[in-house]
Amino acid sequence: MAASTSAAEAFVSDSKSSPAGPSMESPSFQYSMLLDHLIGDKRIVKDLSPGVMGGLPVPPKSEEQKRIESAMESCAFKSLLACVGGFVLGGAFGVFTAGIDTNVGFDPKDPLRTPTAREVLKDMGQRGMSYAKNFAIVGAMFSCTECIIESHRGKSDWKNAVYSGCITGGAIGFRAGLKAGVLGCGGFAAFSAAIEYYLR
């Protein structure tokens, strides 16, 4: 009994003198090494190409493809595309409005005379061309200013369209005076904000 008691006391004294487990410095050191390998300088960058990930391999882009993409993303190309689209849309809108207008082809000096088909078509063409020019100018101005603002801000959000709409509407309205310019700025900005809200 005395031998077992002395053995127990010796075990207790040994446990007090020796550390109860691994030191606290070793886990923290290992944790810092783990962080270095996960998010630190020792992190291994994996190749995430489609061929490695199991997708179809994509060949590298040639210099010609890069130049074409750069040209298509330029403000000049976007403005030209918007100008052409506005011209086509404006022409179609002008012809449509002329088709439903009952006064197309009538002569104000002789309102009782029935206009000929040639006169009606001529009036429809003139109205369509007028609408096409206006839509083309507005589209080019809006697209150009939006592209410039987006390049300057470095962001692609709804504010670019609002700023561009205000500038475009103000520039068009200022031809009729300051009040018309302010109203044009506010109207175009509100319309652009509504369109962006609907699209996004």
Side-chain angles (χ1 to χ4, degrees), residues 39-178:
I39 60 176
D41 298 333
K42 297 181 181 180
R43 180 172 59 92
I44 301 175
V45 180
K46 296 182 179 180
D47 187 10
L48 299 179
S49 61
V52 176
M53 298 298 291
L56 297 176
V58 179
K61 297 180 181 179
S62 61
E63 293 296 330
E64 183 178 359
Q65 289 177 337
K66 293 180 180 179
R67 287 196 298 267
I68 293 175
E69 288 184 357
S70 177
M72 293 181 66
E73 292 176 357
S74 63
C75 294
F77 180 80
K78 292 181 179 179
S79 301
L80 180 61
L81 189 64
C83 181
V84 174
F87 186 87
V88 175
L89 181 63
F93 186 73
V95 172
F96 174 75
T97 56
I100 61 177
D101 190 1
T102 57
N103 295 324
V104 174
F106 280 94
D107 188 3
K109 298 179 180 179
D110 190 8
L112 298 179
R113 186 179 65 87
T114 302
T116 62
R118 184 176 181 179
E119 293 174 346
V120 172
L121 293 176
K122 182 180 179 180
D123 197 359
M124 291 176 64
Q126 290 177 352
R127 183 176 296 189
M129 183 60 65
S130 176
Y131 275 70
K133 291 179 181 179
N134 293 332
F135 274 64
I137 293 173
V138 172
M141 289 178 60
F142 183 85
S143 179
C144 183
T145 53
E146 184 181 15
C147 181
I148 293 174
I149 293 172
E150 181 178 349
S151 301
H152 178 71
R153 296 182 66 235
K155 298 179 181 179
S156 178
D157 53 10
W158 60 272
K159 294 182 181 179
N160 297 331
V162 174
Y163 295 153
S164 178
C166 180
I167 294 173
T168 304
I172 295 174
F174 271 131
R175 296 183 299 175
L178 179 61

